[in-house]
Amino acid sequence: MWNLTKDAKVKFSKCHLLPIHESDDDWKMAMREAKAEGVDLIARLKEELEEVKELLHVLPGRFIPYMEDGTLNQPTLPKAVREDYLQWVQDSAKEFEQILDAAYEHTQQAVAYLPTAVQDVYAESLHDAIIERMEREGDTLHLYINTDGGFSTKSHIHLTFCEVITEESDVPLKVGQWLIYDELQKTDDGFAFRVLFDCPDAEWTITMKGMDAQYYYRPMVYTRLRDEEKLEDTSLADYIGLLNPDHRYWLITPHLTCSIKAFTENIILDTGIIELGQNEMVVTFENQRFIYDLDEYNPTQFIYTDVFEDPYAHFNEPVPAEQIEAAALGNDLELQVRAWNTMYANPSELAAIINRVLLKMKITEENEMMVSVYISHFYKNMILTEEVLEKYHNLID
């Protein structure tokens, strides 16, 4: 029996269509800000309520009168109803978290029966990966996914579903779909894999005898240049000169995967040919010819390696204890990140410094998410003082 279902995902998303302010103080602040900006808050809230009428499909009956009379997201909503509604939203989130936890447990149990490469893939999340290519050979399905927008260090993953038994989907599987949630299960005949996709919204389930995987990484220089917004201005020749000559590399495009034999001023493939023109790159591979418009594609994005180098390793270099407070509150971004990482890794030893930093720190819209992560971590380690707990009580679950 599956934990993940499209219905559960849709229900979860609908339950969170209508956020409302949690306290009287929050409402007062919102109304003050709206007045200062010349915004008719009440009218805007009515429009927002009209846009989420589908909430009626999942809303408990006790809230429907407030939905119908338009007060569910208004400051006039009775406090008891507001707290009840907020608790319902929170409970729905916990319910879906339990579904995801159960799916994760099933996946971890099943993946233990699969090759090490597949275990490596499932050691990280496939969330927000995108299908880049599909190939079918008899009863074998090859799925090539790009995880640049996701949470895996592996930038390109090739999943092979061997001896496919069944395949079901309410929307045909296609290139460009985003993987949102997934679950793997062990069956009597082999394995079953389910994915919930976005764009379009779909549920896909495949059963097969076995599964294998290959994966590749972005070279470290690619990530650094991209993050520094220098990638587009770096020529292919300059980029190649920055690559680690001791690593192996592959050319991976939306149509092919081919090992790279050597780099000169150009790219020499093992079993293919690359021709770089002024406006296009032409790749001839296995009697096929692929053309890539250089206005759309940067050739550097096609180069991968099988060696992972952490481009952010320097952020984990510890800051000396006597410098942490100044670094955490200072303007040097790299030092700031290193200071917070140092505190995160050593909460008990640095408890006094952590509490001083948190008391002095100002919470802004820009840093609130980051601070909530650290606060939650320090809270679980039970090192926060009463004064700090009082200041950050809204960020603690």
Side-chain angles (χ1 to χ4, degrees):
M1 181 176 177
W2 292 102
N3 295 288
L4 279 182
T5 65
K6 182 178 174 180
D7 289 342
K9 173 178 172 285
V10 169
K11 178 184 176 183
F12 169 72
S13 62
K14 286 182 177 179
C15 289
H16 292 75
L17 285 173
L18 187 68
I20 64 174
H21 292 297
E22 297 186 4
S23 67
D24 293 338
D25 288 341
D26 290 339
W27 275 114
K28 290 176 183 177
M29 182 181 297
M31 295 179 76
R32 281 198 305 269
E33 291 176 352
K35 184 177 180 180
E37 296 170 2
V39 175
D40 186 342
L41 180 61
I42 302 303
R44 190 180 70 188
L45 291 172
K46 286 181 180 179
E47 291 175 1
E48 290 178 0
L49 194 63
E50 282 296 318
E51 292 172 357
V52 295
K53 285 297 185 181
E54 58 189 297
L55 182 61
L56 284 168
H57 298 304
V58 295
L59 201 64
R62 63 187 185 275
F63 299 124
I64 290 178
Y66 304 98
M67 184 79 174
E68 292 177 340
D69 68 13
T71 61
L72 187 57
N73 67 336
Q74 296 284 344
T76 54
L77 185 71
K79 184 177 181 180
V81 178
R82 179 180 70 205
E83 292 176 348
D84 188 15
Y85 175 79
L86 290 168
Q87 185 62 51
W88 171 73
V89 173
Q90 185 176 341
D91 289 344
S92 71
K94 289 181 179 178
E95 179 183 334
F96 194 64
E97 285 175 9
Q98 290 171 352
I99 289 173
L100 295 181
D101 288 343
Y104 175 80
E105 289 301 321
H106 270 172
T107 300
Q108 293 306 302
Q109 292 168 11
V111 79
Y113 294 91
L114 288 165
T116 302
V118 181
Q119 296 179 34
D120 291 343
V121 167
Y122 281 95
E124 298 180 294
S125 174
L126 294 175
H127 184 75
D128 273 354
I130 186 171
I131 297 179
E132 193 167 74
R133 178 161 52 116
M134 294 187 303
E135 292 179 358
R136 297 182 186 273
E137 299 175 340
D139 61 357
T140 299
L141 170 63
H142 298 273
L143 206 60
Y144 302 84
I145 57 178
N146 184 302
T147 69
D148 279 343
F151 300 89
S152 176
T153 58
K154 303 165 185 65
S155 298
H156 181 89
I157 298 171
H158 171 192
L159 295 177
T160 303
F161 303 95
C162 309
E163 297 183 68
V164 174
I165 302 169
T166 63
E167 189 176 350
E168 298 176 1
S169 180
D170 49 356
V171 175
L173 195 66
K174 65 179 183 179
V175 169
Q177 283 181 293
W178 292 83
L179 288 77
I180 305 300
Y181 305 109
D182 62 272
E183 179 176 358
L184 180 70
Q185 293 189 3
K186 182 74 179 71
T187 66
D188 291 340
D189 295 329
F191 300 88
F193 183 52
R194 169 168 288 184
V195 177
L196 302 184
F197 287 107
D198 198 8
C199 298
D201 196 25
E203 177 183 289
W204 175 66
T205 308
I206 185 170
T207 62
M208 60 279 175
K209 294 286 187 180
M211 189 175 175
D212 208 344
Q214 291 177 293
Y215 51 84
Y216 304 89
Y217 303 98
R218 291 288 190 191
M220 181 171 64
V221 64
Y222 178 95
T223 306
R224 286 190 172 177
L225 289 172
R226 181 195 62 196
D227 292 351
E228 294 170 4
E229 298 183 352
K230 297 178 181 177
L231 191 61
E232 295 302 320
D233 298 324
T234 303
S235 69
L236 179 60
D238 288 342
Y239 181 80
I240 289 173
L242 295 171
L243 294 175
N244 189 327
D246 297 326
H247 292 175
R248 294 185 300 173
Y249 295 94
W250 281 260
L251 185 80
I252 302 177
T253 78
H255 305 95
L256 60 92
T257 299
C258 181
S259 59
I260 294 174
K261 184 177 182 180
F263 289 114
T264 57
E265 291 183 359
N266 209 329
I267 302 173
I268 309 300
L269 302 178
D270 266 348
T271 56
I273 299 172
I274 290 182
E275 300 170 90
L276 271 175
Q278 186 174 353
N279 300 312
E280 64 183 23
M281 181 176 82
V282 180
V283 182
T284 304
F285 178 72
E286 294 183 349
N287 298 319
Q288 297 184 80
R289 192 167 180 264
F290 305 100
I291 301 175
Y292 302 98
D293 187 334
L294 296 183
D295 288 332
E296 182 179 357
Y297 297 100
N298 184 335
T300 59
Q301 75 188 79
F302 296 147
I303 300 173
Y304 292 82
T305 180
D306 60 354
V307 179
F308 175 68
E309 292 182 295
D310 185 356
Y312 311 109
H314 55 294
F315 285 130
N316 294 320
E317 295 176 10
V319 174
E322 65 275 10
Q323 299 176 21
I324 289 177
E325 186 174 340
L329 299 171
N331 296 320
D332 185 318
L333 183 58
E334 182 172 328
L335 263 179
Q336 194 180 94
V337 173
R338 287 176 53 202
W340 282 98
N341 286 344
T342 303
M343 292 188 289
Y344 188 93
N346 306 279
S348 299
E349 299 90 327
L350 301 173
I353 296 174
I354 291 169
N355 282 288
R356 283 203 306 273
V357 168
L358 291 172
L359 284 175
K360 293 180 180 180
M361 175 168 202
K362 291 183 179 180
I363 306 172
T364 65
E365 288 186 9
E366 290 74 21
N367 69 19
E368 183 174 348
M369 181 65 72
M370 179 273 289
V371 173
S372 66
V373 172
Y374 284 98
I375 283 290
S376 176
H377 177 68
F378 297 143
Y379 177 72
K380 289 176 182 176
N381 281 272
M382 299 183 290
I383 59 118
L384 300 179
T385 65
E386 290 298 325
E387 193 175 3
V388 171
L389 288 170
E390 176 62 26
K391 178 179 178 179
Y392 293 95
H393 71 277
N394 287 334
L395 300 182
I396 298 173
D397 294 332

